[in-house]
Amino acid sequence: MTTAIVVGGGIGGIVSALLLKRNYDNVLLVERAPVPGGLLRTSHTRDGLSFDFGTHFVATTGLDDLDELLFDFVNAEDWHEFDYLKAGHYHGGLLNGNSTFIDARSLPRQTYLEGLEQMLLATPSDETPVNLEQQLDDTYGVVFRQQLFTPVLQKLFGVAPQQLAPDAHLLFGLQRLLILSADASRELKNLPRYDQCIAFHQLDEGVNRASVFYPRHGGIGRWIDGLTEKLRAAGVEMLTGHFVQGVGHQNGQIDSITLDDGRHLECDQLVWTVPPFLLAKAADLDVPMHAPQLRHTRLFHFIFDRPFTTDLHYLYVHDPAMSAFRVTLYSNVAGQDHDPEHGCHCTVEVLSDGKEELSMLSERVCNELIAMELVPEDAVCRYINSEALVAGFPVLSREFVMAGKQQADCLTRQLNNLHLLGKSSGSAFFMNDVLREVYDALNVA
Ligand SMILES: Cc1cc2nc3c(=O)[nH]c(=O)nc-3n(C[C@H](O)[C@H](O)[C@H](O)COP(=O)(O)OP(=O)(O)OC[C@H]3O[C@@H](n4cnc5c(N)ncnc54)[C@H](O)[C@@H]3O)c2cc1C
């Protein structure tokens, strides 16, 4: 009898367990929380309105076998399917309903022209940049880095680009800028160098062929319910409310784990989807340590008595004057399925240093929704709730990213039958990147 153990019951762990069940007799999934799902959980009000906990939308990966595993229970009766989401952004005091990317044309004319010249003449080096500041300067020029990127990165990460690792801006979807006209941008994007950093002006241009899904009722947690049902049907044993205290190994082979309740479980394969330093501790191995710095990440859930003044599904708030990072407007996603009797509901994600008093912050965020003209000025807020994420957004400093890579290398060098996967492994953050990585690692015929 062969046994594989998966630690962490987020989407990375759930899909790992389903794939492992194809090759192992026993698969056990250890999840610290009372229920699986991680950042794809949902809470509900008494009226039946649902608020998601982190990630909202799920999309096909383009890998047929994986998509079958993930979405074969997703049907038109219970789920919305979108070719693309209506997404926008707020920056410089303006709402743009056609793009999530910052509009460089919002800068004073002279500054914009100077920045534009720098960006178009920039020649990114083939060498890996030492930090995000250098990467942004090489790609967009100093003017756009200083005027556009630095203020929003400072707001989101709490530090300047000089202290961040290259690519840290991708965590917040800041890879492109809106410049020039729609036609000129389209033309320039034919060149790969410009395609990387210039945005299309309309949402339906350049969309990939993924289908995006959201449940008609019950929030994104419904997807986890469907996958949990699959785990049960496949015979995966779920050990919720537990964590791993010890990992036994000999000659580079993991042979057992010990749970917090003292249970000793033998295994032939371990998949670890929670922070790697916890494995180093449980296995009593020396790895380079660097305390992870997480941004205080808080979700504010609101119900208003009036419809939103936009039809966007979600928007990024790049404006440094606002505390909000992203607003998801569930009632707009529900469209015809939404019952206006229950009011209109949204979630605002806020990243901060955590110093501001909660009641003041929630009032400020509520006022921001009115100031951004997403909610009518005379709307009454019927409900406010907030929750903090323990595993929020990481501050991707150079030291943190480097230590994460060293930890992962060190652990996988010392332990043969180990896979470090999921967003905590440090090599992927977005859900579909995590899913593809899991599939590549565990889909062994
Ligand atoms: C606020 C927020 C918004 C996001 N929005 C998006 C988005 O819009 N699009 C997108 O693609 N991605 C988004 N992401 C990233 C996305 O949520 C992750 O890619 C996805 O959740 C990764 O799944 P995971 O299983 O690796 O991690 P998680 O979902 O974090 O799951 C980890 C699980 O491990 C459990 N756990 C932790 N410690 C232990 C332990 N010691 N023992 C056992 N179990 C443990 C946790 O309880 C949790 O259930 C967002 C992330 C955050 C923080």
Side-chain angles (χ1 to χ4, degrees), residues 10-12 31-32 38-39 55 274 326 389 393 422-423 429 431:
I11 187 61
E31 164 57 48
R32 192 178 54 182
L39 288 156
T55 301
V274 304
R326 184 169 63 176
L389 297 189
F393 279 89
K423 87 174 186 336
F429 176 78
M431 189 172 61

Side-chain angles (χ1 to χ4, degrees), residues 7-14 30-33 35-41 53-57 242-244 272-275 278 297 299 316 325-326 349 351 389 391-394 421-425 428-434:
V7 179
I11 187 61
I14 291 173
V30 182
E31 164 57 48
R32 192 178 54 182
V35 286
L39 288 156
L40 285 134
R41 278 176 284 159
F53 195 60
T55 301
H56 303 279
F57 302 99
H242 290 288
F243 62 90
V244 175
W272 194 267
T273 72
V274 304
L278 293 173
T297 308
L299 309 176
Y316 286 109
F325 147 58
R326 184 169 63 176
E349 288 151 87
L351 278 65
L389 297 189
F393 279 89
L421 296 169
K423 87 174 186 336
S424 298
S425 73
F429 176 78
F430 291 106
M431 189 172 61
N432 277 16
D433 296 334
V434 165

Side-chain angles (χ1 to χ4, degrees), residues 185-232:
S185 294
R186 206 174 296 121
E187 202 58 39
L188 283 168
K189 279 176 74 62
N190 288 318
L191 300 169
R193 138 96 185 89
Y194 289 132
D195 186 35
Q196 301 298 316
C197 57
I198 296 175
F200 283 119
H201 287 221
Q202 294 296 326
L203 284 170
D204 56 357
E205 280 192 282
V207 288
N208 62 26
R209 279 183 299 160
S211 292
V212 183
F213 299 109
Y214 193 79
R216 291 186 187 277
H217 303 284
I220 202 61
R222 289 286 299 276
W223 190 49
I224 295 298
D225 296 343
L227 291 172
T228 308
E229 201 41 57
K230 281 194 144 191
L231 287 170
R232 278 203 198 94

Side-chain angles (χ1 to χ4, degrees), residues 160-189:
Q162 197 187 22
Q163 286 148 276
L164 294 167
D167 288 343
H169 61 312
L170 304 184
L171 207 63
F172 299 112
L174 290 166
Q175 61 269 44
R176 293 191 173 88
L177 290 178
L178 286 162
I179 56 167
L180 298 168
S181 65
D183 286 345
S185 294
R186 206 174 296 121
E187 202 58 39
L188 283 168
K189 279 176 74 62

Side-chain angles (χ1 to χ4, degrees), residues 11-262:
I11 187 61
I14 291 173
V15 175
S16 295
L18 286 170
L19 289 168
L20 286 164
K21 199 67 186 81
R22 293 176 173 180
N23 292 301
Y24 286 83
D25 300 309
N26 304 315
V27 176
L28 285 78
L29 180 63
V30 182
E31 164 57 48
R32 192 178 54 182
V35 286
L39 288 156
L40 285 134
R41 278 176 284 159
T42 300
S43 59
H44 311 278
T45 64
R46 258 180 274 143
D47 285 346
L49 294 184
S50 307
F51 294 101
D52 301 329
F53 195 60
T55 301
H56 303 279
F57 302 99
V58 292
T60 48
T61 63
L63 301 169
D64 292 344
D65 180 33
L66 180 58
D67 287 338
E68 176 76 14
L69 190 73
L70 298 171
F71 300 114
D72 62 353
F73 56 91
V74 168
N75 57 49
E77 200 183 319
D78 298 326
W79 291 74
H80 292 285
E81 180 173 351
F82 304 97
D83 292 336
Y84 61 91
L85 294 165
K86 283 188 215 156
H89 78 272
Y90 185 87
H91 184 252
L94 293 173
L95 180 66
N96 179 329
N98 296 313
S99 172
T100 57
F101 297 112
I102 297 178
D103 194 338
R105 297 166 305 171
S106 63
L107 290 170
R109 181 131 186 96
Q110 205 44 44
T111 315
Y112 166 62
L113 291 175
E114 202 185 322
L116 185 64
E117 185 181 357
Q118 283 186 3
M119 179 170 164
L120 295 177
L121 295 177
T123 45
S125 146
D126 288 339
E127 282 171 36
T128 310
V130 290
N131 57 33
L132 181 59
E133 179 177 291
Q134 193 186 83
Q135 183 182 27
L136 295 174
D137 286 354
D138 286 355
T139 315
Y140 308 91
V142 176
V143 168
F144 285 166
R145 188 259 297 164
Q146 284 177 338
Q147 301 290 324
L148 300 173
F149 287 98
T150 299
V152 63
L153 289 165
Q154 185 77 45
K155 160 184 152 172
L156 296 170
F157 282 116
V159 298
Q162 197 187 22
Q163 286 148 276
L164 294 167
D167 288 343
H169 61 312
L170 304 184
L171 207 63
F172 299 112
L174 290 166
Q175 61 269 44
R176 293 191 173 88
L177 290 178
L178 286 162
I179 56 167
L180 298 168
S181 65
D183 286 345
S185 294
R186 206 174 296 121
E187 202 58 39
L188 283 168
K189 279 176 74 62
N190 288 318
L191 300 169
R193 138 96 185 89
Y194 289 132
D195 186 35
Q196 301 298 316
C197 57
I198 296 175
F200 283 119
H201 287 221
Q202 294 296 326
L203 284 170
D204 56 357
E205 280 192 282
V207 288
N208 62 26
R209 279 183 299 160
S211 292
V212 183
F213 299 109
Y214 193 79
R216 291 186 187 277
H217 303 284
I220 202 61
R222 289 286 299 276
W223 190 49
I224 295 298
D225 296 343
L227 291 172
T228 308
E229 201 41 57
K230 281 194 144 191
L231 287 170
R232 278 203 198 94
V236 172
E237 191 177 342
M238 276 183 280
L239 302 166
T240 49
H242 290 288
F243 62 90
V244 175
Q245 217 152 40
V247 172
H249 54 98
Q250 268 188 353
N251 305 323
Q253 283 293 112
I254 297 166
D255 49 34
S256 61
I257 64 158
T258 309
L259 292 181
D260 54 315
D261 60 3

Side-chain angles (χ1 to χ4, degrees), residues 259-317:
L259 292 181
D260 54 315
D261 60 3
R263 251 183 298 172
H264 189 74
L265 305 166
E266 294 188 354
C267 71
D268 304 289
Q269 174 77 55
L270 182 65
V271 172
W272 194 267
T273 72
V274 304
F277 76 88
L278 293 173
L279 172 58
K281 226 169 111 191
D284 202 15
L285 291 171
D286 259 346
V287 299
M289 284 293 177
H290 186 273
Q293 204 190 334
L294 295 175
R295 235 11 211 151
H296 277 263
T297 308
R298 198 164 257 287
L299 309 176
F300 291 90
H301 307 308
F302 297 97
I303 304 176
F304 293 94
D305 68 341
R306 301 269 307 275
F308 298 120
T309 45
T310 167
D311 67 348
L312 288 175
H313 295 146
Y314 75 92
L315 67 140
Y316 286 109
V317 184

